[in-house]
Amino acid sequence: MEFRHLGRSGLMISEIAYGNWITHGSQVEEEAADACVKAALDVGITTFDTADVYAGTRAEEVLGRALKGQRREGLEIFTKVFWPTGPGPNDRSLSRKHIMESINGSLRRLQLDYVDLYQAHRYDYSTPLEETMQAFADIVHSGKALYIGVSEWTAAEIRAGWELARELKIQLVSNQPQYSMLWRVIESEVVPTCEELGLGQVVFSPIAQGVLTGKYEPGKQPPAGSRATDEKSGAQFIQRLMTDEVLGAVQRLKPLAEQAGLSMAQLAVAWVLQNPNVSAAIVGASRPEQVHDNAKASGVRLDADLVKAIDEVIGGIAERDPAKTVSPARRP
């Protein structure tokens, strides 16, 4: 496993991170989730990403139990706040009240004294940014989080947050966007802004919810038990990719992966890691062997001809519109 700085901070993280968005506490039983975490540790992954909202707070609990007994100083544990975690009007958003209560809840569920990175899971249009950033600053100054990040913020929102963080003497070091061969909306605005300000990308869905594994074929029903057929595993988010045009293009990547000696998943993860602004790619898993396969993308360098060939196959159907990263209602 290779390691990278998180943005321009001094924090080193594994370039493959393990995330439990739609697995722990919902899609897979805890025994299987525990086995996946142990597999991640076995392959050298030290960075683990979760959120209070995942599986209705259960994902944090599962991860906390799975990591119990591990050397805390050898791990980088990330979580997030924004989405509803209860029925009340203050059980959501980036208000000071919700942030302060949420960090305490996350630490309790994770069985930790602090998290390495506390992230705003989306931009909150209903709360003044000054209120949000002051709450984050107080959490950092209290020692409950070491660094602050955001997720799916636009370039302008990131810049405004960074400027306030600097005034408050805390480090805003990362953005967590969706990024893959098929979803490139960060490339034109977010990445240049983050390069300028010193933020790194910790990207999710590098395999496009499994589409880039090539297991979905045009004109055929999705395999039984796959994410595209399981409502608990986020089938609604994969449907926009389940077109013959997209699936056909993905099939044409298979010879390129074979020539490179990579699985399709490894090719997809390695592709996002070629972007120098990407600090880590988050992978999830329902089986330990998926963790082992994805981790082999660490350290892979794709030559220029291969990158060009990938773009010729799939670049024309990739989503690049930066406006797709706008509303917190768009994606979870």
Side-chain angles (χ1 to χ4, degrees), residues 56-103:
T57 73
R58 294 187 301 277
E60 286 184 325
E61 294 175 352
V62 172
L63 183 62
R65 287 191 289 268
L67 291 174
K68 191 172 179 61
Q70 298 295 319
R71 179 175 173 270
R72 178 65 183 93
E73 294 82 356
L75 301 174
E76 306 85 46
I77 301 177
F78 303 170
T79 193
K80 312 182 197 73
V81 57
F82 172 80
W83 296 101
T85 53
N90 288 308
D91 292 322
R92 65 196 70 202
S93 82
L94 295 180
S95 69
R96 180 178 182 84
K97 178 176 173 61
H98 185 53
I99 289 173
M100 291 300 186
E101 292 172 347
S102 291
I103 187 63

Side-chain angles (χ1 to χ4, degrees), residues 1-36:
M1 182 59 55
E2 296 196 5
F3 295 81
R4 301 182 178 193
H5 282 280
L6 182 53
R8 282 205 293 264
S9 78
L11 181 65
M12 299 292 288
I13 62 175
S14 54
E15 64 180 12
I16 308 291
Y18 182 83
N20 68 353
W21 167 27
I22 53 178
T23 50
H24 294 190
S26 56
Q27 184 184 0
V28 301
E29 298 298 327
E30 184 158 351
E31 183 177 349
D34 187 73
C36 289

Side-chain angles (χ1 to χ4, degrees), residues 169-242:
K169 302 188 184 312
I170 59 172
Q171 290 175 274
L172 177 58
V173 298
S174 65
N175 177 48
Q176 186 175 133
Q178 182 179 176
Y179 185 50
S180 71
M181 296 178 190
L182 293 169
W183 190 264
R184 307 187 191 182
V185 302
I186 64 171
E187 290 181 339
S188 63
E189 295 180 4
V190 167
V191 166
T193 296
C194 288
E195 287 177 333
E196 174 194 344
L197 302 179
L199 280 72
Q201 310 299 320
V202 180
V203 306
F204 70 89
S205 293
I207 311 173
Q209 292 90 47
V211 169
L212 289 169
T213 65
K215 65 183 174 183
Y216 302 111
E217 299 182 42
K220 295 184 179 180
Q221 289 296 313
S226 65
R227 184 172 299 180
T229 64
D230 186 351
E231 287 300 323
K232 292 191 300 180
S233 67
Q236 65 271 35
F237 305 116
I238 200 175
Q239 291 307 316
R240 62 179 174 76
L241 300 174
M242 300 294 288

Side-chain angles (χ1 to χ4, degrees), residues 86-148:
N90 288 308
D91 292 322
R92 65 196 70 202
S93 82
L94 295 180
S95 69
R96 180 178 182 84
K97 178 176 173 61
H98 185 53
I99 289 173
M100 291 300 186
E101 292 172 347
S102 291
I103 187 63
N104 290 332
S106 289
L107 293 177
R108 183 179 64 253
R109 289 185 291 268
L110 288 164
Q111 302 182 55
L112 299 174
D113 295 324
Y114 70 94
V115 292
D116 297 273
L117 181 70
Y118 199 40
Q119 302 161 97
H121 208 160
R122 290 297 184 273
Y123 189 86
D124 183 1
Y125 299 103
S126 67
T127 300
L129 184 58
E130 292 81 0
E131 176 180 342
T132 294
M133 297 309 294
Q134 182 64 64
F136 279 136
D138 290 344
I139 285 171
V140 171
H141 294 150
S142 71
K144 293 181 180 180
L146 304 185
Y147 301 88
I148 295 301

